Amino acid sequence: NSFFVFPTITDDIDDFPIEGKTWADEVSAPFGIVHGDPNNPNVGLIIEALGLATSGFLVGGLSASRGAHSQIAGDITDGGVSGVLFAPSVEVATGLTQGCVPVGPTHVVSDCLDNVIIGLDGNSALDVFKEDVGELLSRDLARASGYIHAAFPIEGSDTGDFVVRNLTGIDPERGWLSVGEDIHAGDRVMFVRRDPNSAEADLTAMIECIQRRLPGPPRGGVYFSCIARGP
């Protein structure tokens, strides 16, 4: 009675099994592992609704494959969101590694439009960017592509977690930056670098942090890898 495996949800949260809803309400399931099919446009909404319905902390990822985007939830499945919820009796510690390390401090977005950052801390976004990345990259901004990214700290995180988004464009004349995320005034953002050494250092630091937080030796672990980081 410490876990509940639920089959694929393809349309909305109403597809969630009634016995699962009853179980989750009885045990107040605080944690779940979920997998989503990237070909289903409802996946984001389903995951959000699942988190609200269970009040649980969800981890997992989208399946990625050159063929079928298979998931396992009791049986082999695909097409939507599937996973497992755990009761409070299952002790879990989580960590997040983005494969990146910061190259400067956190800034506040002072002016923006959609996914374009116009100003940071009241200054030109590009001027702040150049100050953070250093003189070498500032002289040749093309070298920043795929190496420097924007990162958004996760509100409420006590482990310094952040979400990384690509830099999608630089306007050197107006001093604007575009990123792969909708931006709002007041958002916090910093710039990070991603390379093999940074990825390994960040992964090692995350694992060591989890090890310190565990009450004893772990009985098992699950790692979800991002294909955007390459081999």
Side-chain angles (χ1 to χ4, degrees):
N1 198 42
S2 61
F3 65 92
F4 180 85
V5 177
F6 61 91
T8 303
I9 303 171
T10 55
D11 295 319
D12 56 48
I13 194 63
D14 291 337
D15 295 338
F16 194 81
I18 186 65
E19 61 270 25
K21 294 179 182 178
T22 302
W23 178 87
D25 289 341
E26 288 178 352
V27 304
S28 299
F31 181 75
I33 293 176
V34 298
H35 292 145
D37 189 322
N39 295 310
N40 186 329
N42 300 321
V43 159
L45 295 175
I46 294 171
I47 293 173
E48 183 177 2
L50 183 61
L52 292 173
T54 62
S55 299
F57 183 79
L58 305 179
V59 301
L62 300 179
S63 50
S65 171
R66 294 180 177 88
H69 290 71
S70 300
Q71 304 162 33
I72 298 177
D75 296 310
I76 297 176
T77 181
D78 62 12
V81 174
S82 64
V84 55
L85 301 177
F86 293 96
S89 58
V90 181
E91 294 185 88
V92 178
T94 66
L96 176 67
T97 171
Q98 292 285 3
C100 297
V101 294
V103 297
T106 302
H107 307 286
V108 176
V109 176
S110 50
D111 194 8
C112 60
L113 178 64
D114 297 328
N115 69 319
V116 177
I117 304 175
I118 299 173
L120 291 171
D121 303 330
N123 302 306
S124 160
L126 183 56
D127 288 345
V128 174
F129 176 81
K130 288 181 175 180
E131 183 175 344
D132 283 358
V133 302
E135 183 179 353
L136 188 61
L137 287 178
S138 297
R139 291 201 304 263
D140 184 6
L141 293 174
R143 296 181 60 182
S145 176
Y147 179 57
I148 302 296
H149 305 270
F152 299 87
I154 296 176
E155 297 296 334
S157 170
D158 59 357
T159 55
D161 292 339
F162 49 83
V163 174
V164 176
R165 293 291 181 261
N166 288 329
L167 281 175
T168 57
I170 296 176
D171 185 334
E173 295 184 4
R174 290 183 285 191
W176 296 358
L177 305 172
S178 65
V179 300
E181 181 72 52
D182 283 337
I183 305 297
H184 303 90
D187 284 352
R188 295 187 302 140
V189 62
M190 58 184 173
F191 300 107
V192 296
R193 75 170 188 270
R194 173 178 285 163
D195 56 33
N197 291 334
S198 300
E200 184 174 348
D202 193 43
L203 178 63
T204 300
M206 184 270 286
I207 293 173
E208 290 174 346
C209 179
I210 286 184
Q211 188 175 25
R212 290 193 298 269
R213 289 158 50 206
L214 291 175
R219 298 178 63 186
V222 183
Y223 176 64
F224 306 99
S225 183
C226 175
I227 62 170
R229 296 173 206 179

